[in-house]
Amino acid sequence: MAYVQRLMNHGKKSAGGGASPIVHKNHYFCKINIIDMTQDELFKVLVAHCKEYGFIFPSSEIYDGLAAVYDYGQMGVELKNNIKRYWWDAMTRLNENIVGIDSCVFMHPKTWVASGHVAAFNDPLIDNKDSKKRYRADNLIEDYLAKIEEKIEKEVTKGRKRFGDSFDEAQFRATNPNVLREQTKYDGVHNRYLAAQQANDFKEYKQIILDCDIADPISGTKNWTDVRQFNLMFSTQISNTGEADDKIYLRPETAQGIFVDYLNVQKTGRMKIPFGIAQIGKAFRNEIVARQFIFRMREFEQMEMEFFCRPGTEMEWFNFWKEKRMAWHVNLGMGAENYRFHDHEKLAHYANAATDIEFNFPFGFKELEGIHSRTDFDLGNHQKLSGKKIQYFDPETGESYVPYCVETSIGLDRMFLTVLSHAYRVEELEGGESRVVLSIPAPLAPVKVAVLPLLNKDGLPEVAQKIMDELKYDFACQYDPKDSIGKRYRRQDAAGTPFCVTIDHETLRDNCVTIRERDTMDQTRVPIAELSSLIDKEVNMNNLLRKL
Ligand code: ATP
């Protein structure tokens, strides 16, 4: 913990440097090492860093906050907007057959009957009677299974080390007694769990928890209540008459707004199948277990796209969007090895195929995005409940049908956490210095350029302000005249700013400035006239989009 505290205090220490003149060489400091942290430590320091640098604040903090509700600060909102733009442009600008909408949080209550959310948007919850903590029963079992998997992988890694080049993994898995014992245990529990899921058998969920000796991580006891269903939708009333049928829900997903507007968009946009409708907006879920910072929130944002196609072609489009979405993630340069697909064994009531794109978060691989083939479930049910014909006449086949649909659905906040948890690191520099740096992909960075007069006098601020006034039309800029230049560099590194531009006395004579790059700390002297194009090459979102 002392180590974590040291990292948390890191940004507050003087980073040295003073108001010394800029050194015109490639590296002002050299990186020696990236300081290792456990995933747990990383997560703790990241949460503290998000608050310290204005990315994320607990909501209503002066009243001690509200569980699983967070506000985005001055830096956070910029990063969030950039992520939205990367997604929105990739969907609507790069695909001529995808258009966007912005539908309301409140929808007619029948929407949620048609979508199945009133009847089936439930989580199985269980309470520990000693700690009084509430858990999702399915998560407790899944975590137990993941631990067995981890044990098996550890055995395999040991075997690989022991046998070196002659290691035959398949044979090892089939013969090693420790692996075999754990695999049998895994298969037994896994099969029971799958059957319980299919049958929605809550008694069996509890029995599995008891049989596997799963204890509450807080109290350490196995004193569990029965498993109960819990509907995740928040409800309120639209008027104040208090009648039961005034009940209205806060949407638990943005997708239904798209389905309900399908006819309007298809007709007014003269859209031909296949085509898609994209939307970014708030969603609300009364999550039972709302931990892990912004990974699981009660109010969050989704970026969803529903792609409508001819029945029978949905698997082709499902595979198409799987690949497309994975390419969108990998394009950010955060390491292809940090993503994986996880195909669903139990399909939701509306799906005939489903996969998650998982990311390697500080707490392990977890769902970042869902891709579902939703068949004609949603449009078909809205047709039934509304009595309005939702059919598409296909001029190519001469048939009318309810279109099938493939959905891509990503949580904006989870995407935010992906970017920050990958970007955060602490580096040891030569001379005993260290720095915290957020290596956010440059086009997503909240601030692109910091403009820094070396001294706040001698005519330097005037020149710096002039440069700022020019750059601000193209880039999000920050003007920072205070503190030593070293401290200012460290501040910008910790906020993820890709470029610092420093104006010194020489600038007054040669019209050149020093541009410092965040990740390498390279410093280069460049004419002011070239600044804009140099920065643009790295931070322009269009370059990222062109690589897709
Ligand atoms: P999980 O299994 O983690 O609860 P889900 O399968 O219920 O997620 P979907 O209904 O498929 O999630 O929602 C699509 C995306 O919305 C998810 O991949 C995730 O990124 C995001 N999301 C869902 N619930 C939340 C939440 N409570 N907080 C933040 N993001 C969320």
PDB file of all heavy atoms in Angstrom, residues 420-433:
ATOM      1  N   LEU A 420      -7.738   4.673 -20.887  1.00  0.00           N
ATOM      2  CA  LEU A 420      -6.932   5.163 -19.760  1.00  0.00           C
ATOM      3  C   LEU A 420      -6.111   4.062 -19.103  1.00  0.00           C
ATOM      4  O   LEU A 420      -4.961   4.278 -18.742  1.00  0.00           O
ATOM      5  CB  LEU A 420      -7.821   5.835 -18.719  1.00  0.00           C
ATOM      6  CG  LEU A 420      -8.186   7.285 -19.003  1.00  0.00           C
ATOM      7  CD1 LEU A 420      -8.659   7.967 -17.733  1.00  0.00           C
ATOM      8  CD2 LEU A 420      -7.040   8.088 -19.584  1.00  0.00           C
ATOM      9  N   SER A 421      -6.693   2.873 -18.952  1.00  0.00           N
ATOM     10  CA  SER A 421      -5.924   1.833 -18.254  1.00  0.00           C
ATOM     11  C   SER A 421      -4.752   1.369 -19.111  1.00  0.00           C
ATOM     12  O   SER A 421      -3.712   0.999 -18.593  1.00  0.00           O
ATOM     13  CB  SER A 421      -6.799   0.660 -17.821  1.00  0.00           C
ATOM     14  OG  SER A 421      -7.428   0.073 -18.924  1.00  0.00           O
ATOM     15  N   HIS A 422      -4.895   1.451 -20.430  1.00  0.00           N
ATOM     16  CA  HIS A 422      -3.759   1.096 -21.276  1.00  0.00           C
ATOM     17  C   HIS A 422      -2.734   2.221 -21.300  1.00  0.00           C
ATOM     18  O   HIS A 422      -1.530   1.987 -21.408  1.00  0.00           O
ATOM     19  CB  HIS A 422      -4.228   0.790 -22.710  1.00  0.00           C
ATOM     20  CG  HIS A 422      -3.093   0.371 -23.580  1.00  0.00           C
ATOM     21  ND1 HIS A 422      -2.404   1.256 -24.383  1.00  0.00           N
ATOM     22  CD2 HIS A 422      -2.487  -0.826 -23.743  1.00  0.00           C
ATOM     23  CE1 HIS A 422      -1.446   0.616 -25.013  1.00  0.00           C
ATOM     24  NE2 HIS A 422      -1.468  -0.645 -24.643  1.00  0.00           N
ATOM     25  N   ALA A 423      -3.199   3.463 -21.163  1.00  0.00           N
ATOM     26  CA  ALA A 423      -2.308   4.616 -21.339  1.00  0.00           C
ATOM     27  C   ALA A 423      -1.435   4.895 -20.113  1.00  0.00           C
ATOM     28  O   ALA A 423      -0.334   5.419 -20.243  1.00  0.00           O
ATOM     29  CB  ALA A 423      -3.149   5.860 -21.633  1.00  0.00           C
ATOM     30  N   TYR A 424      -1.921   4.528 -18.925  1.00  0.00           N
ATOM     31  CA  TYR A 424      -1.246   4.955 -17.694  1.00  0.00           C
ATOM     32  C   TYR A 424       0.037   4.164 -17.438  1.00  0.00           C
ATOM     33  O   TYR A 424       0.042   2.939 -17.449  1.00  0.00           O
ATOM     34  CB  TYR A 424      -2.192   4.761 -16.507  1.00  0.00           C
ATOM     35  CG  TYR A 424      -1.643   5.280 -15.201  1.00  0.00           C
ATOM     36  CD1 TYR A 424      -1.936   6.555 -14.757  1.00  0.00           C
ATOM     37  CD2 TYR A 424      -0.812   4.485 -14.417  1.00  0.00           C
ATOM     38  CE1 TYR A 424      -1.417   7.035 -13.558  1.00  0.00           C
ATOM     39  CE2 TYR A 424      -0.286   4.959 -13.226  1.00  0.00           C
ATOM     40  CZ  TYR A 424      -0.599   6.231 -12.797  1.00  0.00           C
ATOM     41  OH  TYR A 424      -0.078   6.692 -11.617  1.00  0.00           O
ATOM     42  N   ARG A 425       1.132   4.872 -17.228  1.00  0.00           N
ATOM     43  CA  ARG A 425       2.332   4.189 -16.742  1.00  0.00           C
ATOM     44  C   ARG A 425       3.222   5.172 -15.982  1.00  0.00           C
ATOM     45  O   ARG A 425       3.125   6.394 -16.144  1.00  0.00           O
ATOM     46  CB  ARG A 425       3.086   3.502 -17.866  1.00  0.00           C
ATOM     47  CG  ARG A 425       3.578   4.372 -18.950  1.00  0.00           C
ATOM     48  CD  ARG A 425       4.519   3.600 -19.887  1.00  0.00           C
ATOM     49  NE  ARG A 425       5.104   4.542 -20.793  1.00  0.00           N
ATOM     50  CZ  ARG A 425       4.597   4.856 -21.976  1.00  0.00           C
ATOM     51  NH1 ARG A 425       3.499   4.261 -22.402  1.00  0.00           N
ATOM     52  NH2 ARG A 425       5.195   5.743 -22.734  1.00  0.00           N
ATOM     53  N   VAL A 426       4.086   4.585 -15.161  1.00  0.00           N
ATOM     54  CA  VAL A 426       5.062   5.381 -14.416  1.00  0.00           C
ATOM     55  C   VAL A 426       6.433   4.995 -14.936  1.00  0.00           C
ATOM     56  O   VAL A 426       6.751   3.810 -15.026  1.00  0.00           O
ATOM     57  CB  VAL A 426       4.976   5.101 -12.903  1.00  0.00           C
ATOM     58  CG1 VAL A 426       5.918   6.014 -12.139  1.00  0.00           C
ATOM     59  CG2 VAL A 426       3.559   5.294 -12.403  1.00  0.00           C
ATOM     60  N   GLU A 427       7.218   6.005 -15.297  1.00  0.00           N
ATOM     61  CA  GLU A 427       8.548   5.726 -15.857  1.00  0.00           C
ATOM     62  C   GLU A 427       9.636   6.273 -14.941  1.00  0.00           C
ATOM     63  O   GLU A 427       9.503   7.365 -14.386  1.00  0.00           O
ATOM     64  CB  GLU A 427       8.684   6.397 -17.225  1.00  0.00           C
ATOM     65  CG  GLU A 427       7.864   5.724 -18.292  1.00  0.00           C
ATOM     66  CD  GLU A 427       7.929   6.465 -19.623  1.00  0.00           C
ATOM     67  OE1 GLU A 427       8.504   7.574 -19.674  1.00  0.00           O
ATOM     68  OE2 GLU A 427       7.412   5.938 -20.602  1.00  0.00           O
ATOM     69  N   GLU A 428      10.690   5.481 -14.851  1.00  0.00           N
ATOM     70  CA  GLU A 428      11.857   5.921 -14.109  1.00  0.00           C
ATOM     71  C   GLU A 428      12.781   6.587 -15.122  1.00  0.00           C
ATOM     72  O   GLU A 428      13.035   6.015 -16.193  1.00  0.00           O
ATOM     73  CB  GLU A 428      12.522   4.661 -13.555  1.00  0.00           C
ATOM     74  CG  GLU A 428      13.341   4.865 -12.352  1.00  0.00           C
ATOM     75  CD  GLU A 428      13.961   3.539 -11.924  1.00  0.00           C
ATOM     76  OE1 GLU A 428      13.327   2.466 -12.123  1.00  0.00           O
ATOM     77  OE2 GLU A 428      15.090   3.586 -11.443  1.00  0.00           O
ATOM     78  N   LEU A 429      13.260   7.776 -14.802  1.00  0.00           N
ATOM     79  CA  LEU A 429      14.116   8.501 -15.739  1.00  0.00           C
ATOM     80  C   LEU A 429      15.529   8.574 -15.167  1.00  0.00           C
ATOM     81  O   LEU A 429      15.733   8.318 -13.981  1.00  0.00           O
ATOM     82  CB  LEU A 429      13.578   9.912 -15.964  1.00  0.00           C
ATOM     83  CG  LEU A 429      12.102  10.021 -16.349  1.00  0.00           C
ATOM     84  CD1 LEU A 429      11.689  11.489 -16.428  1.00  0.00           C
ATOM     85  CD2 LEU A 429      11.836   9.342 -17.680  1.00  0.00           C
ATOM     86  N   GLU A 430      16.469   8.962 -16.026  1.00  0.00           N
ATOM     87  CA  GLU A 430      17.848   9.059 -15.529  1.00  0.00           C
ATOM     88  C   GLU A 430      17.923  10.147 -14.452  1.00  0.00           C
ATOM     89  O   GLU A 430      17.117  11.089 -14.458  1.00  0.00           O
ATOM     90  CB  GLU A 430      18.800   9.347 -16.682  1.00  0.00           C
ATOM     91  CG  GLU A 430      18.617  10.698 -17.311  1.00  0.00           C
ATOM     92  CD  GLU A 430      19.543  10.946 -18.491  1.00  0.00           C
ATOM     93  OE1 GLU A 430      20.293  10.044 -18.857  1.00  0.00           O
ATOM     94  OE2 GLU A 430      19.482  12.054 -19.032  1.00  0.00           O
ATOM     95  N   GLY A 431      18.859   9.974 -13.532  1.00  0.00           N
ATOM     96  CA  GLY A 431      19.058  10.978 -12.474  1.00  0.00           C
ATOM     97  C   GLY A 431      18.033  10.868 -11.364  1.00  0.00           C
ATOM     98  O   GLY A 431      17.801  11.842 -10.649  1.00  0.00           O
ATOM     99  N   GLY A 432      17.397   9.712 -11.239  1.00  0.00           N
ATOM    100  CA  GLY A 432      16.474   9.494 -10.117  1.00  0.00           C
ATOM    101  C   GLY A 432      15.105  10.130 -10.295  1.00  0.00           C
ATOM    102  O   GLY A 432      14.272  10.081  -9.407  1.00  0.00           O
ATOM    103  N   GLU A 433      14.869  10.773 -11.427  1.00  0.00           N
ATOM    104  CA  GLU A 433      13.547  11.361 -11.690  1.00  0.00           C
ATOM    105  C   GLU A 433      12.558  10.253 -12.053  1.00  0.00           C
ATOM    106  O   GLU A 433      12.961   9.163 -12.451  1.00  0.00           O
ATOM    107  CB  GLU A 433      13.627  12.312 -12.883  1.00  0.00           C
ATOM    108  CG  GLU A 433      14.510  13.513 -12.678  1.00  0.00           C
ATOM    109  CD  GLU A 433      13.772  14.655 -12.030  1.00  0.00           C
ATOM    110  OE1 GLU A 433      12.532  14.634 -12.030  1.00  0.00           O
ATOM    111  OE2 GLU A 433      14.430  15.551 -11.493  1.00  0.00           O
TER     112      GLU A 433
END
